[in-house]
Amino acid sequence: MSGPFCSVHTHSRLCDGTNSLSEMAWAAYEAGAVSFGASGHSHTPAPVDEGCTLPLDLTVYREEVLRLREEFAGRMDVLLGIELDSRSDMAFSPADFDYWIGSVHHLYDGETGAYYSVDYTPDALVQGCRALCGGDFLTMAELYFKDVAQMAARRPTILGHIDLITKFNGDGRFFDGDHPRYRSAALEVLHAADPAETLLEINTGAMSRGWRSTPYPALFLLKEWRAMGGRVILTADAHSAEAIVYGYDEAAELARTAGFRQTALLTASGITDSPL
């Protein structure tokens, strides 16, 4: 990258990260970020999420972020965010946060009450596909993208890892990412979003955890988003201090390949642009 950057998709030990919020903030500062955003996972009733999300009472989380804001005042902006899951049971108002990331991690079976994660493990993905779709991964992808489109329509500040369902599909083992049904369902997510209100993240989280060699989302989605006049933001989806800006050079290169020349920055004074 040639310009300033931020790190605003981050997770600490208060949800499923491995470092404290303070350690994450210091890592961002030492990496040279102009702003650090805490975006803990919102609480969900999904059994697999137990112990991996923020509690319903966000008092401790909020107080720690505000304490860090004072600690870094004049050196780095510290923002209070949240990653709102589509299945969250948390009372939510955008006004309570500086920004919010809208994401889908689970598919839900309304008949059985079961939750099926799309990014927990490959085996869990297969089990969910069998239970919900009789093993048809294209149908599962369509269900997933339907949920993401609903989240996109809520106009989050950032639309999170929109093709997360590809996390374990780097070699095409589960489905063909070029199939017309897949592409059509994925593109509907962008068409449900408001490019004037929402940033699309280029997310390197699966790279830092060894599941992918390239960032989310796919190039065809980025090209469509650019054609729609949308903006992108680079994020690491960092679950550890070491990954705070992981893969930003690769993310920037993907953005340039899609035709973007700038990335958005979230700061205390609002959203600005930085050259890639």
Side-chain angles (χ1 to χ4, degrees):
M1 286 186 59
S2 59
F5 58 88
C6 61
S7 183
V8 296
H9 190 158
T10 67
H11 300 286
S12 72
R13 281 201 295 264
L14 293 179
C15 54
D16 62 343
T18 58
N19 289 93
S20 68
L21 267 177
S22 179
E23 290 168 336
M24 296 295 284
W26 274 104
Y29 175 71
E30 291 169 356
V34 298
S35 58
F36 164 78
S39 60
H41 287 290
S42 65
H43 189 272
T44 82
V48 72
D49 280 348
E50 186 174 354
C52 296
T53 69
L54 297 171
L56 288 171
D57 183 350
L58 298 180
T59 301
V60 171
Y61 174 69
R62 183 181 301 274
E63 289 178 347
E64 177 62 3
V65 174
L66 296 181
R67 184 193 70 77
L68 289 168
R69 178 175 295 175
E70 292 184 6
E71 181 177 344
F72 285 94
R75 296 183 289 176
M76 178 182 71
D77 292 344
V78 174
L79 307 176
L80 174 63
I82 194 161
E83 184 174 12
L84 184 73
D85 189 271
S86 60
R87 301 298 170 184
S88 180
D89 53 356
M90 181 190 82
F92 172 72
S93 170
D96 293 335
F97 303 92
D98 296 317
Y99 69 100
W100 64 286
I101 301 171
S103 298
V104 175
H105 300 92
H106 308 283
L107 295 177
Y108 179 68
D109 187 336
E111 294 185 2
T112 65
Y115 293 83
Y116 297 100
S117 173
V118 300
D119 71 327
Y120 185 53
T121 65
D123 285 345
L125 181 68
V126 170
Q127 291 168 9
C129 187
R130 288 173 177 166
L132 287 170
C133 310
D136 184 343
F137 276 97
L138 286 175
T139 298
M140 187 183 197
E142 289 170 337
L143 291 175
Y144 166 77
F145 284 124
K146 181 179 179 180
D147 280 2
V148 183
Q150 291 175 350
M151 177 59 79
R154 297 174 66 176
R155 298 182 175 181
T157 315
I158 299 171
L159 188 55
H161 42 55
I162 64 169
D163 50 357
L164 182 65
I165 198 166
T166 66
K167 179 175 179 177
F168 307 121
N169 197 55
D171 56 359
R173 63 186 292 198
F174 297 124
F175 56 86
D176 178 5
D178 291 324
H179 194 285
R181 281 176 59 192
Y182 177 86
R183 286 200 169 211
S184 176
L187 287 168
E188 282 305 306
V189 172
L190 299 184
H191 300 156
D194 184 346
E197 296 289 336
T198 293
L199 303 172
L200 182 65
E201 71 171 359
I202 300 181
N203 179 314
T204 65
M207 294 171 63
S208 64
R209 293 190 286 281
W211 289 111
R212 288 176 59 99
S213 58
T214 57
Y216 308 110
L219 183 59
F220 78 92
L221 292 168
L222 288 171
K223 287 183 174 179
E224 178 70 8
W225 187 242
R226 180 177 177 274
M228 292 171 62
R231 291 191 288 175
V232 295
I233 185 168
L234 309 188
T235 72
D237 198 351
H239 285 65
S240 67
E242 291 78 10
I244 199 71
V245 291
Y246 187 94
Y248 269 31
D249 287 341
E250 290 91 335
E253 181 58 30
L254 179 60
R256 287 190 291 266
T257 301
F260 293 96
R261 295 296 175 261
Q262 295 178 317
T263 179
L265 300 178
L266 290 189
T267 71
S269 58
I271 300 174
T272 63
D273 289 314
S274 175
L276 285 165

